[in-house]
Amino acid sequence: MTDTLDLGPQARLVARIADRVADGQLTGPTPCPDYAVREVLGHLLHLSRAFAQAARKDLGPELDRDPGSSVPELESGWRAELPKALDALADAWRDPAAWQGMTRAGGIDLPGEVAGLVAVDELVVHGWDLARATGQEYAPDVASLTAAKALLTPAEGGDGDEGGLFGTPVPVPDDAPLLDRVIGLSGRDPRWTPVS
């Protein structure tokens, strides 16, 4: 799809949203059914570190861990660590070599370009989870949304039990905003609210 994509704008957006999360919101529900706000934040911290390693082809044990094997813990210093991890993630993917060759993430070997798209998709979708759960405005950059849609679209209409890459897609009108279409493809309902 692309030689490189700047993850910086999306990483900065997620960092701003995370910074505005109040302590009292950490136990609140999110569109990600198994995660409260604190788990989404923990997942973002862990995935930022892991995908930065994947970009650098630093294939240590962290990249063998299945992200779905346990609920992510939120570290006590997350307010300082998450912005740094997001910056490091974006910086690592600015190297054109990150998008080439093979790497590993979540215990799966995959091409660098695919890993980069997964990283973007994770930031877009979990950024939306966090923003929606905490009542914040959310406007990802078009390049990140387009990349996330490109990753999710091939899974659309699958004939397996899940039907999509991350779950059964939620039907969204073709003329809906691009963000709503991406969120629907991710298996989430774009109309979700904390009191749904």
Side-chain angles (χ1 to χ4, degrees), residues 90-111:
D91 189 53
W93 285 98
R94 286 189 182 106
D95 183 350
W99 298 85
Q100 299 166 1
M102 295 295 291
T103 190
R104 188 167 182 80
I108 300 169
D109 292 323
L110 66 170

Side-chain angles (χ1 to χ4, degrees), residues 97-186:
W99 298 85
Q100 299 166 1
M102 295 295 291
T103 190
R104 188 167 182 80
I108 300 169
D109 292 323
L110 66 170
E113 182 177 13
V114 174
L117 292 177
V118 172
V120 172
D121 178 69
E122 290 278 338
L123 291 179
V124 167
V125 173
H126 291 304
W128 180 83
D129 288 338
L130 197 58
R132 187 53 63 101
T134 59
Q136 299 186 52
E137 292 294 320
Y138 188 61
D141 64 288
V142 174
S144 294
L145 282 173
T146 302
K149 185 174 185 294
L151 177 75
L152 295 170
T153 297
E156 188 175 14
D159 57 2
D161 290 338
E162 291 294 304
L165 191 59
F166 297 111
T168 303
V170 173
V172 176
D174 291 340
D175 61 351
L178 181 56
L179 176 59
D180 287 359
R181 286 180 279 148
V182 168
I183 294 305
L185 286 169
S186 77

Side-chain angles (χ1 to χ4, degrees), residues 3-187:
D3 292 331
T4 62
L5 172 69
D6 186 4
L7 277 64
Q10 185 60 29
R12 287 189 297 274
L13 175 60
V14 171
R16 281 195 304 273
I17 289 168
D19 185 56
R20 294 176 184 147
V21 173
D23 288 345
Q25 295 176 309
L26 292 175
T27 58
T30 73
C32 191
D34 297 328
Y35 290 178
V37 170
R38 69 179 307 109
E39 280 85 41
V40 170
L41 287 162
H43 182 59
L44 282 163
L45 181 56
H46 294 295
L47 79 86
S48 295
R49 290 172 176 161
F51 277 96
Q53 290 176 340
R56 295 188 302 265
K57 314 292 194 290
D58 181 11
L59 307 182
E62 178 71 19
L63 298 183
D64 290 329
R65 190 170 62 98
D66 175 1
S69 63
S70 62
V71 175
E73 293 290 324
L74 184 59
E75 299 172 13
S76 61
W78 71 270
R79 288 195 185 271
E81 291 303 315
L82 182 56
K84 288 191 248 179
L86 287 163
D87 283 346
L89 172 69
D91 189 53
W93 285 98
R94 286 189 182 106
D95 183 350
W99 298 85
Q100 299 166 1
M102 295 295 291
T103 190
R104 188 167 182 80
I108 300 169
D109 292 323
L110 66 170
E113 182 177 13
V114 174
L117 292 177
V118 172
V120 172
D121 178 69
E122 290 278 338
L123 291 179
V124 167
V125 173
H126 291 304
W128 180 83
D129 288 338
L130 197 58
R132 187 53 63 101
T134 59
Q136 299 186 52
E137 292 294 320
Y138 188 61
D141 64 288
V142 174
S144 294
L145 282 173
T146 302
K149 185 174 185 294
L151 177 75
L152 295 170
T153 297
E156 188 175 14
D159 57 2
D161 290 338
E162 291 294 304
L165 191 59
F166 297 111
T168 303
V170 173
V172 176
D174 291 340
D175 61 351
L178 181 56
L179 176 59
D180 287 359
R181 286 180 279 148
V182 168
I183 294 305
L185 286 169
S186 77

